[in-house]
Amino acid sequence: MISRTPPALLELAVQSLLRDQALAIPALEDLPRELFPPLLTEALAQRHSEILKAMVQVWPLPCLSLGSLMERGHLDILASALDALDLLLAQKARLRGWKLQVLDLREGPQHHCGVWCAATARPSLPEVRGKRLREKTGQRMEAQQPLRVFIDVSLKDGTLDECQTYVLLWALQRKDSLHLCCHTLNIFTKSIHIMRKVLETLDLSCIQVVEVHCGWELCTLAAFAPYLGQMRNLRKLLLSHIHVSVSEDLEEESLITQFTSQLLNLNRLQELSMDAPNCLEGHLDQVMRSLQSRLHRLALTNCLPSASDLEHLSCWTSTSQLKHLDLRGTKLTNLILKPLRLLLQRVAATLETLDLEECELEDPQLQALLPALSRCTQIKNFVLTGNHFSMDVLKDLLRHTGRLSQLSLELYPAPLESYDAWGAVCPERFSKLCAELMAILRDIRQPKRVFFMCVSCLQCGYQVMYNLGLSPCRCPVPA
């Protein structure tokens, strides 16, 4: 006989209320607030629009999360919830019992925790004092706090999905009553017209992350810049493939200035990533000097910087406390690396990640950096793959970095001696050289994750790797 766990009392109460809407709706005002989150979850699952509408009007918690409606595309249920809010927003002053401060329409379970935490948490002393203050000041204070509505925004070519469009139009018509907030703005469109329509609806001061995932012309970046300058709480900015069109050549200086002048307002920026910023090559110094905040992460990837770009690398205020420096794919072969060496010395006490993959570094450049690298005592992740170093220089590198006890991930290129005259890896020679390098490292410290990587196999494209042993390519072994 199968034994079944009887349903909890809370579950029984929720199911009972949902079975009889005529009884449930009048009873909502008298329900304990702990019952509201599970009742909401079940009402959404069963698409009880009338109960949902009534719950919104008497919601007893600061946050109401309805992101699942956006995720599932339930426009009709979402419209019912917003209609209920309209009845409350239409009042000139909030009712004394109205607790709702945030409507969260972001997708994903990570945005639902606030509902449950708020339901079970006991009021703290400041909360009790705030309640007494509100009782003294009455509805005047309640009227000063606009409702905040949080939404995910991904701008793509074409039209937004139905739910996003509905919320944006709804919020636009009620700008005086609420703030439409977006934490992360992802942009996949080159149309400034689409961006303007959405950005002029959002409370730009709420945006903390902006990621541009498509190639823009410089004029698009300049047109976006005034909106960027209003994002005063921005923490992360990612730009990719910004280029100059033929028609922009004569205006290039002016357009770049329009962008850099807005960077002066980003006092809280912590992460700046620029991938293939072709139009900014030759102007990187101007960009970095415009930043007033101290960055935690700087990524300048897949670009061809000039000597003037990096000349003041170590002097920029924004790079004085870097934790993560990513220069992947940035060609450094023909540059004087003194600015990079000085920067590493300057951030030696804070730097945790250094990524120099595919920078076309050779023995002289690495040797110039070794004294500075040996001072980076906090470094945890160090990537040098895709460069060209001899066995002797790699030995010297390991001796210099051998005492960096925080290192947890090290990725090095195979020694040049691992390849034959045609550039193909010789597995036995590669394995022997790597074993020798590991022995040097173990004499100094106990390494954690250390990998030596060859270039991809010319036949199968697989990358030969050495860790505790050799990981060969996928080519069939000849009989």
Side-chain angles (χ1 to χ4, degrees), residues 475-479:
C475 292
V477 179

Side-chain angles (χ1 to χ4, degrees), residues 68-84:
S68 61
L69 296 180
M70 304 287 286
E71 192 172 6
R72 299 168 190 167
H74 289 169
L75 181 58
D76 54 335
I77 308 296
L78 176 64
S80 295
L82 298 183
D83 286 345

Side-chain angles (χ1 to χ4, degrees), residues 368-385:
L369 296 176
L370 288 182
L373 284 171
S374 65
R375 299 184 186 182
C376 297
T377 56
Q378 301 305 308
I379 195 166
K380 298 176 182 176
N381 301 311
F382 184 33
V383 182
L384 269 178
T385 48

